[in-house]
């Protein structure tokens, strides 16, 4: 089984709908991240969490919110989806500070119509 | 100007060729990562390095901290190496990753 899983893998939704993307990990890492990837752009950080009580905004947090329900679970919500949130979303974990290597989930392809 | 620049953006090669992908960055870093993204979208980490050189199979990554430059080499390229290769640096001050836009590699038989 994959160490970092994301659900759903693909989602099509309409403008204005609320949607939640979920991420689970079995690696036991404290640090978790949400990124989005757009064509022609590098991955950009939306939110990150260093533990259950520590959640921080990334460079593009507007329009998004997160919840760290447990060490293993980190969810990303779009409160009112808009078409320019159409992108590929990745969850990642890291066992920093012992190692800064990041482990990525398989991605969620989100389309907002 | 992007803080992490990769070149080339696109690369095609014949099977067996030696491949080089370059990454230049403008910020102070604590480490540099090379990632591979396959057509299905998943991202895997190939290397994390802060100095010198690392080798894994046919892949070699080098970094020159003074010149703020890293290269990823693939020897004896194979069609299964076809993927997008992404360079990312860990900003020394913010501890966050800054990603390049990727190099799309296609290796033809």
């Amino acid at each position: 089984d994959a160490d970092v899983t994301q659900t759903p893998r693909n989602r099509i939704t309409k403008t204005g709908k609320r949607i939640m993307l979920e991420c689970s990990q079995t690696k036991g890492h404290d640090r978790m991240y949400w990124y989005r990837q757009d064509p022609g752009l590098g991955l950009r950080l939306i939110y990150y969490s260093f533990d259950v009580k520590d959640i921080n905004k990334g460079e593009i947090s507007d329009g998004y919110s997160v919840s760290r329900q447990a060490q293993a679970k980190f969810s990303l919500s779009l409160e009112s989806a808009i078409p320019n949130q159409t992108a590929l979303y990745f969850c990642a974990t890291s066992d920093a500070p012992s190692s800064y290597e990041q482990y990525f989930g398989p991605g969620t392809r989100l389309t907002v119509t | 100007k992007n803080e992490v620049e990769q070149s080339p953006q696109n690369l095609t090669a014949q099977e067996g060729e030696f491949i080089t992908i370059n990454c230049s960055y403008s910020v102070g870093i604590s480490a540099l990562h090379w990632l591979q993204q396959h057509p299905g979208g998943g991202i895997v980490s190939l290397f994390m390095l802060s100095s010198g050189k690392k080798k894994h199979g046919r892949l070699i990554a080098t970094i020159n901290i003074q010149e703020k430059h890293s290269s990823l080499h693939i020897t004896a390229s194979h069609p299964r190496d076809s993927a997008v290769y992404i360079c990312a640096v860990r900003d020394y001050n913010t501890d966050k990753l800054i990603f390049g836009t990727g190099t799309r590699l296609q290796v033809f038989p």
Side-chain angles (χ1 to χ4, degrees):
Chain A
D1 286 341
D3 295 320
V4 184
T5 57
Q6 292 182 233
T7 55
R9 294 292 313 279
N10 289 282
R11 181 71 182 266
I12 300 173
T13 192
K14 293 185 183 298
T15 297
K17 293 290 188 183
R18 183 179 190 275
I19 184 168
M20 179 181 287
L21 309 183
E22 298 186 341
C23 177
S24 294
Q25 53 115 346
T26 58
K27 299 191 76 67
H29 293 166
D30 286 327
R31 298 191 181 190
M32 298 186 72
Y33 307 80
W34 275 106
Y35 296 98
R36 71 176 272 178
Q37 186 180 41
D38 297 276
L41 298 177
L43 278 79
R44 292 180 293 167
L45 182 63
I46 307 172
Y47 269 96
Y48 61 104
S49 170
F50 284 177
D51 65 41
V52 175
K53 297 180 182 178
D54 182 6
I55 294 178
N56 305 279
K57 293 182 178 180
E59 59 180 305
I60 54 163
S61 59
D62 287 349
Y64 301 94
S65 63
V66 290
S67 172
R68 184 81 184 266
Q69 301 95 324
Q71 186 203 38
K73 296 186 183 294
F74 192 35
S75 300
L76 177 72
S77 294
L78 286 67
E79 298 301 325
S80 179
I82 56 176
N84 77 359
Q85 291 177 314
T86 293
L88 189 53
Y89 290 84
F90 286 99
C91 174
T93 74
S94 167
D95 63 350
S98 58
S99 165
Y100 282 90
E101 189 154 357
Q102 292 214 344
Y103 300 86
F104 289 84
T108 295
R109 188 168 298 280
L110 176 66
T111 302
V112 183
T113 62
Chain B
K1 190 181 190 311
N2 292 334
E3 293 165 306
V4 180
E5 299 273 1
Q6 288 185 236
S7 63
Q9 289 186 307
N10 294 282
L11 184 56
T12 57
Q14 290 294 124
E15 183 173 356
E17 285 186 5
F18 181 82
I19 303 293
T20 296
I21 299 170
N22 296 298
C23 175
S24 296
Y25 54 92
S26 58
V27 298
I29 70 168
S30 51
L32 182 143
H33 300 247
W34 280 104
L35 310 168
Q36 181 189 56
Q37 184 173 24
H38 274 283
I43 297 173
V44 295
S45 177
L46 298 175
F47 295 103
M48 182 176 65
L49 64 166
S50 55
S51 65
K53 176 179 175 177
K54 286 191 176 180
K55 184 175 190 292
H56 185 252
R58 295 180 294 106
L59 273 59
I60 303 166
T62 64
I63 188 168
N64 185 318
I65 296 294
Q66 287 72 31
E67 294 186 3
K68 295 189 173 181
H69 181 268
S70 175
S71 293
L72 176 68
H73 304 287
I74 305 175
T75 61
S77 59
H78 190 276
R80 64 175 175 267
D81 297 325
S82 298
V84 175
Y85 292 84
I86 300 170
C87 172
V89 301
R90 181 168 304 282
D91 186 298
Y92 183 83
N93 290 315
T94 67
D95 209 31
K96 295 187 184 67
L97 285 181
I98 306 170
F99 294 83
T101 56
T103 295
R104 184 174 300 276
L105 171 66
Q106 290 183 291
V107 182
F108 294 99

